[in-house]
Amino acid sequence: MQLYRLRRRNGVLHLNREQQASPTPGVREVAVRITAASLNYRDLLILGERYGGDAEGVIPLSDGVGVVTAVGGGVTRFKVGDRVAGCFFQHWSSGNPTEHGSRSALGGQLPGVLAEEVCLCEEGVIHFPDFLTDEEASTLPCAALTAWNSLFTRGALHNQQSVLLMGTGGVSLFGLQFAVAAGARTIITSSSNAKLDRARSLGANETINYRTHPEWDAEVLKLTNGQGVDQIIEVGGSGTLERSLQALNYGGHIGLVGVLAGQSSVDPFPLALRNGTISGIYVGSREQFEAMNHFIDKHQIHPVVDRVFSFADAPRAYEYLASGKHFGKVVIRVGG
């Protein structure tokens, strides 16, 4: 079979296409023929060696779906022919996160899914809604579950709330789609008016161009009659957190997801003043994944796939994601 590994050339990691024997599932493992895989910002950080640890030799990507081709001893949840998705964390089935579970991420501590065939733990595999294409389903394990965890598991979203989404990457657009389906009021930001128009077509109630309105927190307050929003999916990290704190309603919740905007010193007093909460969000458990899939199935939500690349063009998929031109998810079609 064919796969990609991260290999260092001239001191820099690159995607290297290689061949190796197909894996054989062990006890409580399933073999999966991967059909589609999707990229996350995390994958760019790992390739650029900005994620911690030595990634030399790693099979990249956490998000992939495919068809079960064989099952190991003791497997009871799956059979040959099942369409399945791998869970981001192979050993976080339910409950609170643990160190053991947090060290079982695909494409990092464990081999990833940018390969024609992989073996995954039975507890780290899940069925996904039948109405989704493989390309759509491949976007769910990380970005979608991150948004779900922030809004519903940690934020207890309901239809009387308002939600602020930042940008039009995968996590933010899933957050938008979930919030719209839940009946919440949604505000989304971007530096592109064209992308904001597309966000409106997905149900965004209000949009803010943060280039023309660099003090976008003040715009959020204007749109909410000075109250602020009840929930924020904060993908900018400390570079935007200060403005998020100013845009938060009393008793509001911020799901801290990413660090896209760099670092700054943040005064925590506005959070205390508002009796607000900040939750660190690192994807989620298989149980949360199952709850999210039920919601997706109920509301027939189709993930936003910007562009699909061939397996041979995997390096170009990375380049396209890094360009920031995408609206939604970037996917690699691995096999038929």
Side-chain angles (χ1 to χ4, degrees), residues 217-262:
D217 50 324
E219 294 300 311
V220 172
L221 292 175
K222 287 180 184 178
L223 292 172
T224 57
N225 297 318
Q227 289 187 330
V229 291
D230 300 301
Q231 292 207 48
I232 300 172
I233 297 183
E234 169 58 80
V235 299
S238 56
T240 54
L241 182 56
E242 187 171 7
R243 293 198 183 279
S244 290
L245 292 175
Q246 297 297 331
L248 191 66
N249 193 6
Y250 282 77
H253 173 255
I254 296 175
L256 188 60
V257 172
V259 289
L260 304 187

Side-chain angles (χ1 to χ4, degrees), residues 137-322:
S138 74
T139 69
L140 300 179
C142 180
L145 188 53
T146 296
W148 175 268
N149 189 1
S150 179
L151 292 177
F152 292 91
T153 306
R154 309 297 286 276
L157 181 67
H158 57 78
N159 62 7
Q160 299 299 311
Q161 290 187 329
S162 54
V163 179
L164 173 66
L165 297 315
M166 296 180 174
T168 54
V171 174
S172 295
L173 287 188
F174 274 118
L176 173 63
Q177 290 179 288
F178 292 160
V180 168
R185 182 186 179 189
T186 54
I187 303 171
I188 192 166
T189 70
S190 174
S191 62
S192 165
N193 286 331
K195 289 183 177 181
L196 291 175
D197 288 341
R198 293 183 67 183
R200 280 187 177 274
S201 73
L202 292 173
N205 298 111
E206 308 287 350
T207 60
I208 300 172
N209 187 314
Y210 62 77
R211 290 217 187 276
T212 56
H213 298 286
E215 296 182 350
W216 50 263
D217 50 324
E219 294 300 311
V220 172
L221 292 175
K222 287 180 184 178
L223 292 172
T224 57
N225 297 318
Q227 289 187 330
V229 291
D230 300 301
Q231 292 207 48
I232 300 172
I233 297 183
E234 169 58 80
V235 299
S238 56
T240 54
L241 182 56
E242 187 171 7
R243 293 198 183 279
S244 290
L245 292 175
Q246 297 297 331
L248 191 66
N249 193 6
Y250 282 77
H253 173 255
I254 296 175
L256 188 60
V257 172
V259 289
L260 304 187
Q263 298 185 8
S264 66
S265 180
V266 177
D267 178 7
F269 180 71
L271 184 71
L273 179 67
R274 291 167 171 79
N275 277 290
T277 57
I278 295 179
S279 299
I281 306 295
Y282 189 20
V283 198
S285 68
R286 191 190 76 210
E287 183 179 66
Q288 293 168 14
F289 199 167
E290 290 168 340
M292 179 189 75
N293 279 345
H294 178 75
F295 184 88
I296 288 172
D297 201 20
K298 176 181 178 181
H299 295 279
Q300 296 288 287
I301 296 172
H302 285 274
V304 179
V305 175
D306 180 284
R307 190 169 172 183
V308 179
F309 290 82
S310 70
F311 188 67
D313 281 341
R316 289 184 56 224
Y318 271 76
E319 293 169 3
Y320 183 64
L321 181 66

Side-chain angles (χ1 to χ4, degrees), residues 313-336:
D313 281 341
R316 289 184 56 224
Y318 271 76
E319 293 169 3
Y320 183 64
L321 181 66
S323 75
K325 296 177 181 178
H326 59 289
F327 181 90
K329 296 292 291 180
V330 178
V331 173
I332 297 170
R333 184 178 291 115
V334 179

Side-chain angles (χ1 to χ4, degrees), residues 1 21-26 29-35 65-72 75 78-85 115-120 125 127 134 335-336:
M1 70 161 188
S22 297
T24 300
E29 288 185 340
V30 296
V32 180
R33 174 172 52 82
I34 298 294
T35 54
V65 303
V67 178
V68 174
T69 56
V71 298
V75 171
F78 302 97
K79 65 183 184 302
V80 172
D82 283 354
R83 296 171 73 214
V84 297
E116 290 181 324
E117 298 176 66
V118 302
C119 283
L120 301 173
V125 177
H127 295 101
D134 287 9

Side-chain angles (χ1 to χ4, degrees), residues 17-83:
R17 193 170 174 180
E18 303 178 3
Q19 287 191 330
Q20 71 176 42
S22 297
T24 300
V27 175
R28 300 295 303 275
E29 288 185 340
V30 296
V32 180
R33 174 172 52 82
I34 298 294
T35 54
S38 70
L39 286 162
N40 296 289
Y41 185 71
R42 167 183 182 258
D43 301 309
L44 297 180
L45 294 177
I46 292 173
L47 181 66
E49 298 189 86
R50 293 176 289 155
Y51 200 72
D54 185 4
E56 165 70 32
V58 167
I59 301 172
L61 304 196
S62 60
D63 293 15
V65 303
V67 178
V68 174
T69 56
V71 298
V75 171
T76 60
R77 299 179 59 241
F78 302 97
K79 65 183 184 302
V80 172
D82 283 354
R83 296 171 73 214

